[in-house]
Amino acid sequence: MFARLRRLPHLLRLAWGVRRLRRAAQGPEKALAQAALARALGGGRGMAMKIGQVYADRSGASALDELLHGIEPLPLTTLLPLIEQALDAPPERHFAQIEPHGIAASLGQVHRATLHNGSAVAIKVRYPDIQAILDGELALAGLIPGVGPAKRWGFDLEGYRQSLRDNFERELDYLSEARRQQWLREQLCVPGLVIPEVLLPLCRDGLLVQRWEAGEPLRSAESWPLGERLQVARTLLQTLFQSLFTLGELHGDPHAGNLRVRRGAAGVETLLYDFGCTLSLARERRLGLLRLILALRGEAEPIEPLQGLIAIGFDVEKLAHVAAEMPALMRLLLRPFLLNAPFDPAGWGLSAAFEAQLGVRRWWFRSAGPADVVLLLRIFQGLFNHLERLDAKLPWWPLLVQAVGEETLAEARALVLPTLPDGLSLSPTQPAATRLRVQLYEGERLKVDLELPADATAELESLIPEETLAQINAQQPGVVAEACARAQASGLVAQGLFAWEEGARQVRVWLE
Amino acid sequence: MIFPSALCHPHPDPEALARCLEGLGFRRTQSASPGLLLENGSLALRLTQGQAERPLRLEAQVRDLSSEAQALGAPWQAESEERLDPHWARQRLHHPLGLTLTLLREYSEDELDLLPPLPTHLDWQPEAVAALQQVLRQVPLDFRDAARRRATERAEYLCVVDGGLAPEPHHALQGLVDVTPAFQHPLLADAIRALGYAPEPLFAARQPA
């Protein structure tokens, strides 16, 4: 109890940091608030450091540096007895040398060492008191009141707590982490990806030994030439796609501290470390998401979006409150996968569009998600942060197809989805229109027949010559802007947009 | 929220000024007092009886300054043309009723012999950029900006489908072929051939995007 109370002032500082961040406007003030919170979170090991890594990723390189150096590493002399206990032998029996300076992390500390055969390795040793710290923090997490918005929208708080507990328990078990890392190293086949080899015979419950794979921090790549930055971005994207859709086991902690980059004879390589926190997704869940994407792309039979979400694990009763908006919402959320062009997150406006579509009812959607979806969102958020910092924009879909392969795509197409309860309104995923059509007739004669990609609807006003647009608006004020907004809200499904006539001239615009 | 709908201009002889404005494409609309209400589809003017504090200044974008100025004729008095910058030229005309008309003309990329940059995201080979920029000149000016953006996006998509990150000339040209409407294909084929590339395989592989 006393240990928990000692942590309380620290948690109060964090609460103040979060409050300051929420109230900060965009720009420098927000960046400062983020950096301050990252520093506050970095002031302690355990859960606080974990959250801090996420905020540090958003705040940039300096915040991450401050965070990583915010904790004084324990002296090696404190850790040597732990290593000896884990190996049941003096460390010098296995290691010719262990460097005294360690790198502090959230749950353990890393030291470079050399084996007797001269190979360089990294030894990760779990902090001696970390289990007790986490127990205390998890107990405090259990005090989160189940009232207010959490109760109103039916958030599964116990589910979140359990998910948190499960994650930390997995993360504390270094032997389990070593096996997951080795498995992913063997299974993941992504150009440019390097996962260090684990030396399993030397791994124990609180000790993980792996080959030393050196690289530069990810921020170094921010100043690399475009071609090299794109290679790093492609590796990050394909690693996520293959982990998520083919293997069902994802690195759950992809902050910049767990990534390194290097240039070599084989080209640009991206190193991925620390597999303590991973997310496992059952076959039906991962293929359910892929099936939904395929249906929205028109590359599989149409499905009811709710079916896809239920397969992923969403609560159907809560989703029923927002069922009508699901087709448009899914197009918005999954836009990076639907676009046949390089995806630029800057033009996505996800939060604002999400709020505009659902308003306060967005909480139904959020609370309908299973607890571990939060971790999945964090993984995607981490990816977006890295892509933004690398200033690398790539089309996602062809990279996904290459990463997961035809076999996984065929498996997803053949997936049998759960049936919906009786009475729930159905709105099957109409594939998005692929073309915006514009026809101009003069009398009976077709003068102009244009086919543009459906995405061009967003820029319809700029595509119409100014003079014509003025004439259309004079006759039907705002008709073009309204048609654009209506089409976007519907998720760009096939529909008529508007028609205009003046004398013998007739214009028809539609999505097909 | 208030949406202003007309510009008000006092004038000693609103009727005469209205007739002058009718010569510029304005039409009178049915409206209640005060004064006269005229509009041309994009601009509404309310002319009221009163002393003009300053000339009424209107602006219009035209394709040819001198022919438009000549078409207006007397009693308009034209100043000489001014080149504002490489992209814009201006000519002012004054009417004795206290009306100043500024004609603006934008020079196109063809007139300026410019090859605007492509809106790229990938690491394009220089030959691919040059090929697409050259062939884009065959696209009518009104559609060229859209074609430039769409062909670039399509080329980048095709390049990544091929496993690359640096679009090559065949990605660039295939991208343009894919986004170009059928009626422009003969012109496009000639332009591609003139650059030294065979258009037939590109049209055979065309997948409208």
Side-chain angles (χ1 to χ4, degrees):
Chain A
M1 186 62 182
F2 182 65
R4 286 178 201 171
L5 286 175
R6 270 191 312 177
R7 301 283 291 171
L8 203 52
H10 184 63
L11 293 172
L12 287 173
R13 275 202 307 278
L14 299 185
W16 174 83
V18 170
R19 180 185 158 93
R20 185 179 162 199
L21 181 62
R22 279 187 171 171
R23 294 189 167 191
Q26 292 297 325
E29 192 188 344
K30 184 122 188 159
L32 282 172
Q34 279 181 331
L37 180 57
R39 278 195 302 275
L41 289 163
R45 302 177 175 93
M47 192 177 345
M49 175 79 159
K50 282 275 159 208
I51 302 167
Q53 286 165 337
V54 175
Y55 274 104
D57 248 7
R58 292 181 188 173
S59 313
S62 60
L64 182 65
D65 280 348
E66 285 183 41
L67 178 61
L68 294 176
H69 296 103
I71 300 179
E72 188 62 31
L74 296 177
L76 179 61
T77 48
T78 306
L79 299 178
L80 283 174
L82 297 174
I83 299 172
E84 181 166 351
Q85 189 184 10
L87 291 169
D88 199 17
E92 52 270 26
R93 182 177 297 173
H94 298 284
F95 306 105
Q97 185 241 345
I98 302 177
E99 288 189 7
H101 181 72
I103 304 162
S106 54
L107 308 180
Q109 187 164 308
V110 178
H111 287 259
R112 185 186 162 115
T114 311
L115 298 179
H116 289 295
N117 66 9
S119 313
V121 294
I123 306 176
K124 187 160 84 165
V125 189
R126 192 173 62 205
Y127 292 129
D129 55 350
I130 197 68
Q131 180 77 58
I133 289 174
L134 281 179
D135 284 346
E137 285 175 344
L138 286 168
L140 284 170
L143 298 178
I144 296 169
V147 294
K151 185 178 180 187
R152 183 173 172 197
W153 303 102
F155 275 90
D156 177 15
L157 285 184
E158 188 45 42
Y160 293 121
R161 289 175 194 133
Q162 189 58 48
S163 178
L164 199 59
R165 271 193 291 272
D166 291 347
N167 280 333
F168 276 126
E169 275 169 23
R170 286 181 89 179
E171 207 162 344
L172 283 171
D173 183 351
Y174 280 9
L175 193 54
S176 156
E177 175 184 341
R179 290 190 181 117
R180 284 198 301 278
Q181 178 170 338
Q182 193 61 18
W183 185 79
L184 281 166
R185 176 183 151 82
E186 288 162 8
Q187 299 296 319
L188 273 171
C189 179
V190 173
L193 176 68
V194 175
I195 296 175
E197 180 192 356
V198 173
L199 304 183
L200 272 175
L202 292 178
C203 294
R204 300 289 187 275
D205 178 28
L207 183 72
L208 194 152
V209 182
Q210 60 188 326
R211 297 267 174 223
W212 183 267
E213 295 280 3
E216 301 173 61
L218 186 63
R219 69 168 181 275
S220 307
E222 291 170 20
S223 56
W224 287 2
L226 175 62
E228 292 181 333
R229 283 184 280 127
L230 289 168
Q231 286 183 56
V232 175
R234 177 171 62 182
T235 300
L236 293 175
L237 282 161
Q238 293 197 315
T239 300
L240 175 56
F241 298 153
Q242 202 173 96
S243 307
L244 172 58
F245 295 115
T246 306
L247 303 180
E249 187 81 24
L250 297 89
H251 190 294
D253 210 2
H255 60 81
N258 284 337
L259 290 162
R260 288 283 187 281
V261 287
R262 68 186 179 199
R263 295 144 138 167
V268 172
E269 290 180 325
T270 302
L271 297 101
L272 187 55
Y273 307 105
D274 193 348
F275 291 78
C277 175
T278 58
L279 172 64
S280 300
L281 283 179
R283 176 181 177 276
E284 287 69 22
R285 298 182 68 192
R286 60 189 164 87
L287 293 183
L289 176 58
L290 188 52
R291 176 76 177 82
L292 183 55
I293 294 169
L294 283 164
L296 289 168
R297 287 187 58 85
E299 298 191 22
E301 288 296 310
I303 59 168
E304 159 62 37
L306 293 184
Q307 286 179 283
L309 289 168
I310 295 166
I312 297 165
F314 278 70
D315 181 328
V316 65
E317 287 183 16
K318 289 177 187 165
L319 283 183
H321 294 278
V322 288
E325 286 88 353
M326 276 307 107
L329 188 64
M330 287 302 100
R331 282 193 188 290
L332 172 67
L333 288 175
L334 299 173
R335 182 170 166 74
F337 295 98
L338 307 183
L339 205 61
N340 285 339
F343 173 66
D344 182 359
W348 197 10
L350 178 61
S351 298
F354 187 67
E355 195 166 338
Q357 282 193 11
L358 290 182
V360 73
R361 289 179 309 130
R362 68 188 181 277
W363 293 106
W364 281 125
F365 182 78
R366 288 186 172 172
S367 68
D372 58 3
V373 163
V374 173
L375 190 52
L376 186 59
L377 293 179
R378 184 178 126 187
I379 293 168
F380 272 96
Q381 185 59 54
L383 179 70
F384 283 124
N385 291 340
H386 301 326
L387 296 179
E388 195 179 339
R389 294 195 170 279
L390 290 168
D391 191 19
K393 300 165 190 85
L394 286 162
W396 284 29
W397 182 248
L399 294 177
L400 183 149
V401 171
Q402 289 156 16
V404 308
E406 280 303 324
E407 199 178 320
T408 303
L409 293 171
E411 217 183 330
R413 285 191 185 97
L415 183 71
V416 178
L417 291 165
T419 52
L420 294 176
D422 291 341
L424 203 60
S425 65
L426 292 176
S427 50
T429 49
Q430 297 172 40
T434 55
R435 287 190 293 267
L436 172 67
R437 295 289 305 274
V438 181
Q439 283 188 341
L440 167 64
Y441 277 90
E442 281 192 5
E444 297 293 310
R445 196 158 162 228
L446 179 63
K447 294 284 286 184
V448 174
D449 186 5
L450 286 179
E451 287 183 13
L452 302 163
D455 282 333
T457 308
E459 298 163 44
L460 188 55
E461 284 190 287
S462 64
L463 292 171
I464 300 174
E466 273 180 45
E467 190 184 340
T468 312
L469 183 65
Q471 289 173 342
I472 294 171
N473 279 331
Q475 202 182 78
Q476 305 173 53
V479 67
V480 181
E482 281 168 21
C484 289
R486 193 176 63 243
Q488 304 274 37
S490 75
L492 292 182
V493 296
Q495 61 190 287
L497 293 180
F498 69 91
W500 171 70
E501 281 185 44
E502 190 181 74
R505 295 173 79 201
Q506 299 170 42
V507 173
R508 279 182 61 223
V509 181
W510 73 97
L511 282 165
E512 64 178 24
Chain B
M1 177 67 82
I2 295 171
F3 296 97
S5 57
L7 179 70
C8 296
H9 182 72
H11 193 272
D13 188 352
E15 182 58 39
L17 185 58
R19 282 197 299 277
C20 174
L21 288 166
E22 281 170 337
L24 295 176
F26 281 85
R27 285 176 290 193
R28 298 178 198 231
T29 64
Q30 299 289 333
S31 70
S33 293
L36 302 167
L37 188 66
L38 297 99
E39 56 90 17
N40 69 350
S42 60
L43 179 65
L45 290 171
R46 185 178 291 282
L47 305 180
T48 53
Q49 182 76 43
Q51 200 57 44
E53 292 164 9
R54 58 178 67 87
L56 175 62
R57 296 172 188 270
L58 297 178
E59 184 180 289
Q61 199 172 330
V62 298
R63 287 184 188 274
D64 188 320
L65 291 177
S66 58
S67 66
E68 295 292 348
Q70 278 175 13
L72 286 170
W76 289 92
Q77 289 190 332
E79 292 181 7
S80 52
E81 288 184 24
E82 294 174 79
R83 192 69 178 249
L84 300 176
D85 61 35
H87 296 273
W88 290 93
R90 175 176 74 184
Q91 185 167 23
R92 285 204 179 106
L93 296 103
H94 305 280
H95 194 280
L97 282 172
L99 176 59
T100 297
L101 179 62
T102 302
L103 300 180
L104 291 165
R105 189 232 161 139
E106 185 180 17
Y107 286 85
S108 71
E109 59 190 63
D110 288 349
E111 289 168 315
L112 296 169
D113 199 22
L114 292 176
L115 291 173
L118 304 176
T120 59
H121 292 110
L122 301 189
D123 190 21
W124 285 56
Q125 292 185 359
E127 315 87 75
V129 174
L132 184 52
Q133 283 177 319
Q134 282 298 334
V135 183
L136 273 167
R137 299 196 89 156
Q138 302 307 315
V139 176
L141 263 173
D142 284 346
F143 301 104
R144 199 174 299 166
D145 275 340
R148 187 166 16 245
R149 182 180 57 75
R150 294 174 52 225
T152 303
E153 282 181 353
R154 179 69 180 160
E156 295 192 330
Y157 183 79
L158 294 171
C159 171
V160 176
V161 167
D162 272 358
L165 295 172
E168 298 171 25
H170 71 92
H171 296 125
L173 297 174
Q174 187 72 60
L176 185 55
V177 165
D178 285 1
V179 303
T180 301
F183 73 90
Q184 287 183 342
H185 286 182
L187 206 59
L188 189 57
D190 290 345
I192 291 171
R193 203 172 285 114
L195 270 184
Y197 297 96
E200 292 79 10
L202 299 171
F203 285 97
R206 181 174 184 257
Q207 290 181 311

